[in-house]
Amino acid sequence: MKTLFTLLISAFLITACSQGNAQENMTVNDLHAIPFNDDESKVVLDVRTAQEYAEGKIPGSENLDVLKTDLFTTSIKKLDKDKTYYVICRSGSRSLKAATQMKEAGFKNVINITGGMQAWGAANFPVEK
């Protein structure tokens, strides 16, 4: 009986810990529907290269290149962990990596944007240069 109880508690703890780090995803349609209205608690974080970012970005977004690993790691330490970050890249792969790293660093509200800027552009949502 004690062994069964220990196994159940262990299973519960493993599940609870893994759910705490579960990755949230959102489509570009969902992101576009969010009213940002100068709400500083919400940040669109574009993790593409500076060159990609300069070619077209979501208005009001911030850029932090995830491929510059050391700089990215150092830079996220300076970000406000209480804000909600909507992380986007070209297609969704780098943003998933960045969002996972941010969650592991203690950020509570990090959402990966699936489809990335390719999906954003395909939906004809606003892009600025």
Side-chain angles (χ1 to χ4, degrees):
M1 185 71 169
K2 186 175 181 180
T3 303
L4 178 60
F5 179 75
T6 303
L7 286 173
L8 287 173
I9 293 296
S10 297
F12 172 78
L13 291 174
I14 290 169
T15 302
C17 290
S18 65
Q19 286 177 349
N21 290 327
Q23 183 58 54
E24 284 191 58
N25 294 296
M26 175 183 287
T27 68
V28 294
N29 291 330
D30 295 331
L31 177 63
H32 186 259
I34 295 172
F36 281 83
N37 303 330
D38 297 323
D39 184 349
E40 293 182 12
S41 69
K42 301 174 189 171
V43 178
V44 176
L45 185 63
D46 191 318
V47 295
R48 297 176 297 154
T49 66
Q51 181 178 351
E52 289 173 303
Y53 186 71
E55 292 170 359
K57 61 189 177 204
I58 296 174
S61 63
E62 298 178 17
N63 182 232
L64 189 54
D65 185 352
V66 72
L67 296 179
K68 293 184 177 179
T69 308
D70 292 338
L71 179 60
F72 184 80
T73 301
T74 302
S75 297
I76 64 170
K77 290 178 183 176
K78 298 174 186 173
L79 298 176
D80 185 345
K81 291 183 180 179
D82 292 325
K83 292 185 178 185
T84 299
Y85 293 91
Y86 301 91
V87 186
I88 193 164
C89 66
R90 183 179 59 84
S91 64
S93 179
R94 285 178 281 174
S95 59
L96 179 60
K97 175 184 173 183
T100 300
Q101 188 174 345
M102 291 174 76
K103 291 287 277 187
E104 289 171 355
F107 288 81
K108 294 176 181 72
N109 303 308
V110 181
I111 300 152
N112 176 53
I113 307 302
T114 58
M117 288 301 292
Q118 288 178 332
W120 185 269
N124 292 315
F125 293 142
V127 174
E128 67 181 21
K129 294 193 181 209

